[in-house]
Amino acid sequence: MPPAVPPRPPSGSGAASSVDDGGSRGPAGPGADSAPSAGPRSASSAEPLPRASFPSVPRRPLDPSASVPVRDPRLGGLTPQPAPWEPPSVQPSGPLTFPPGPTPPGFRAAMPWRRPPARSPRQPQPPIPAQPPSGPGERPSPAPEPADAPPSTVLDLPTLQADEVSLVGESGRVRVEYVGSGPPTYDAEPTALPPADPEDLGDLVADTVLDGARYGACTLRAASLRGDSARYRGEPRRDALLTARFGLGEQALVLVAMATGARATPGAHRAAAEACRWIGRAVGLSHVRLVEDIRAARRGDLKSGLHRLTDRSLGKLRASAVEQGLDPDEYTASLRCLLLPADPGCRTRVFFGVGAGGLFRLRGGEWQDIEPRVADTPGAPVVGFGSLPHETPEGDRLTMDLGITTPPSPYEPAPAPPREPFRFRASVAREDDVLLLCTGGLAEPLRGEPPLAEHLAARWTAAEPPGLAAFLADAQVRVKGYTDDRTAAAVWEA
């Protein structure tokens, strides 16, 4: 039975679209082209065109229990990402692991250091049981290792303790902290700070001062530090250090001044600092004339001129003591200075000052004590230099002097205490010389402890001058029994 043809829809827009679709498919039969035209025909009289019919496919009934599988978006290579305007999720997605970056050349990963476990005393090992003989095709099984045996990959090396490690410098010499018969009594590092006045904080003095420079053919290193006793008792440093340059170019003059205040005197550090300032001002105002005298080697003019400048500076220090209501004999300081011309062609080094200290020269690996000697005349007067003869020309002997001290007269002023003599020395330096100017805190152990002199000579005979830190380490090598402040200035000649 042929399938039923659906009824034709009514005329209108829908029929026109059907006619258009039918006309688009071509003629309905083989005789469509040869049929004569009968003229215009109305839409109502148009005959319907045959349409192709298709068999209907029966649809499967929907099973409500069956669920449509949800496709995993990751199978297609796409991961759903939140939109930029969507807020982030409350729960984190989880930790993310990123691949390591490239390793730079020459980099080696360092394993964390772990202290090896303490080893117990070795116990006697039990005997290893005999193994049955193996066949020709079997491999012998290895012998079992004891449970307390260390791993085979760990080297059994001794562990170095702290007191077994020594620091060795680049030149191969061991750095020491003290020399002599034993370690000093006080600690090597500062213990207490000096007391401070909130109304006069500028009166505070630093524990250590370090300075250096290079001019012409010489290299300068200078340091000043508190002694072990002052560090322990919380006393200020009584030594003062001043390094200054006056002038420009080859006409410049470098001044190194160091002073030491009186022991056990309040305000001794202020007196030392004031003495350095006064002599620095005097030398700075006269540096042009001083440079000319040094270049021309006019030692007489230098000695008289520097003596006058030193007396004037110490006189101002005594006047300052009177203004402060202090005793001028207590508010005083020893003063030692060194003049270095910046001209490379002038190797004359001038020392002058008043008071105790030291001036040394290291030449050829040996120390030379070149401190100027003061001509003192101890004891009785020498015959021929103002003393009376033992007897008269007639042979009568004079009355013996029993040495009884005559009491001072109340009508005559007391004699002033003798002042420290002025010291002066001008020397010509040689290549590779080391000139050392220091206060009594370093001069005394250098003269009294040969190990310290040998140590410094070995350290300072290198090809290059030491740096600031190395010079400070050398200057503070301690000696038992010497606890005063130390101030030193060394000059290396190129």
Side-chain angles (χ1 to χ4, degrees):
M1 178 177 181
V5 178
R8 180 182 178 188
S11 60
S13 60
S17 62
S18 299
V19 172
D20 295 340
D21 292 343
S24 62
R25 292 188 182 95
D33 295 340
S34 59
S37 176
R41 298 182 347 182
S42 61
S44 61
S45 62
E47 297 181 0
L49 297 177
R51 301 183 61 183
S53 60
F54 299 93
S56 60
V57 180
R59 297 185 178 180
R60 295 182 181 180
L62 297 177
D63 188 3
S65 62
S67 60
V68 180
V70 180
R71 184 179 181 184
D72 190 355
R74 291 177 296 178
L75 298 179
L78 300 177
T79 303
Q81 300 292 338
W85 57 83
E86 295 182 359
S89 59
V90 179
Q91 297 295 335
S93 60
L96 300 179
T97 303
F98 298 93
T103 303
F107 174 80
R108 299 180 60 185
M111 301 298 296
W113 180 85
R114 296 181 180 178
R115 183 181 297 276
R119 294 180 299 174
S120 59
R122 295 186 177 274
Q123 302 293 338
Q125 303 294 338
I128 301 176
Q131 298 292 338
S134 58
E138 299 180 0
R139 299 181 60 184
S141 59
E145 297 182 357
D148 58 346
S152 58
T153 57
V154 178
L155 299 179
D156 191 7
L157 298 177
T159 303
L160 293 178
Q161 302 298 331
D163 53 356
E164 301 177 8
V165 182
S166 301
L167 298 179
V168 181
E170 299 178 356
S171 58
R173 294 183 294 269
V174 180
R175 174 184 172 184
V176 298
E177 294 185 357
Y178 65 88
V179 295
S181 58
T185 306
Y186 300 99
D187 295 336
E189 301 299 332
T191 303
L193 291 173
D197 183 5
E199 300 295 336
D200 190 11
L201 295 179
D203 189 53
L204 295 177
V205 181
D207 177 88
T208 304
V209 177
L210 188 62
D211 203 353
R214 177 176 296 176
Y215 286 99
C218 63
T219 301
L220 173 65
R221 297 288 183 264
S224 179
L225 58 145
R226 273 198 304 172
D228 293 345
S229 177
R231 286 178 170 180
Y232 178 78
R233 302 177 186 276
E235 299 175 354
R237 175 169 47 91
R238 293 186 296 113
D239 281 7
L241 175 65
L242 172 66
T243 54
R245 173 183 60 88
F246 305 104
L248 300 174
E250 297 184 355
Q251 304 295 328
L253 181 66
V254 178
L255 167 68
V256 181
M258 55 187 68
T260 304
R263 187 187 302 272
T265 301
H269 61 287
R270 290 191 293 268
E274 191 173 350
C276 289
R277 288 195 298 267
W278 284 121
I279 193 64
R281 182 176 182 274
V283 171
L285 296 176
S286 307
H287 76 277
V288 177
R289 177 65 181 273
L290 291 174
V291 170
E292 294 177 356
D293 292 342
I294 293 176
R295 284 181 172 181
R298 293 191 285 263
R299 302 194 177 189
D301 296 342
L302 281 172
K303 184 176 181 179
S304 60
L306 293 175
H307 193 179
R308 184 171 57 255
L309 295 180
T310 304
D311 287 346
R312 188 180 305 171
S313 300
L314 296 180
K316 292 182 178 180
L317 183 63
R318 289 189 292 269
S320 176
V322 174
E323 293 177 359
Q324 300 178 29
L326 303 175
D327 187 1
D329 295 335
E330 295 182 356
Y331 193 79
T332 183
S334 62
L335 182 63
R336 307 176 67 82
C337 304
L338 187 64
L339 296 179
L340 306 172
D343 186 3
C346 182
R347 288 184 177 269
T348 303
R349 313 297 180 228
V350 179
F351 158 75
F352 67 96
V354 172
L359 181 65
F360 305 92
R361 180 171 57 198
L362 181 60
R363 176 175 292 178
E366 297 181 358
W367 285 107
Q368 301 175 1
D369 191 348
I370 58 176
E371 176 77 10
R373 304 302 179 186
V374 179
D376 295 333
T377 309
V382 182
V383 177
F385 290 88
S387 61
L388 298 177
H390 294 284
E391 58 184 15
T392 63
E394 290 79 12
D396 298 334
R397 302 184 64 86
L398 300 178
T399 305
M400 185 186 313
D401 186 8
L402 300 179
I404 300 176
T405 305
T406 304
S409 173
Y411 303 102
E412 296 180 0
R419 297 182 180 178
E420 289 286 346
F422 177 76
R423 302 172 188 266
F424 172 85
R425 187 183 184 95
S427 60
V428 179
R430 298 180 184 177
E431 187 177 352
D432 297 334
D433 280 358
V434 180
L435 185 64
L436 175 63
L437 175 66
C438 57
T439 57
L442 183 59
E444 293 178 2
L446 270 177
R447 295 188 178 107
E449 292 291 337
L452 178 61
E454 296 173 0
H455 173 72
L456 294 182
R459 293 281 297 178
W460 292 352
T461 52
E464 294 294 334
L468 294 179
F471 178 77
L472 177 61
D474 296 337
Q476 64 183 0
V477 174
R478 303 187 300 157
V479 183
K480 187 175 182 179
Y482 299 91
T483 60
D484 288 342
D485 299 345
R486 289 185 181 182
T487 302
V491 180
W492 278 261
E493 301 291 341

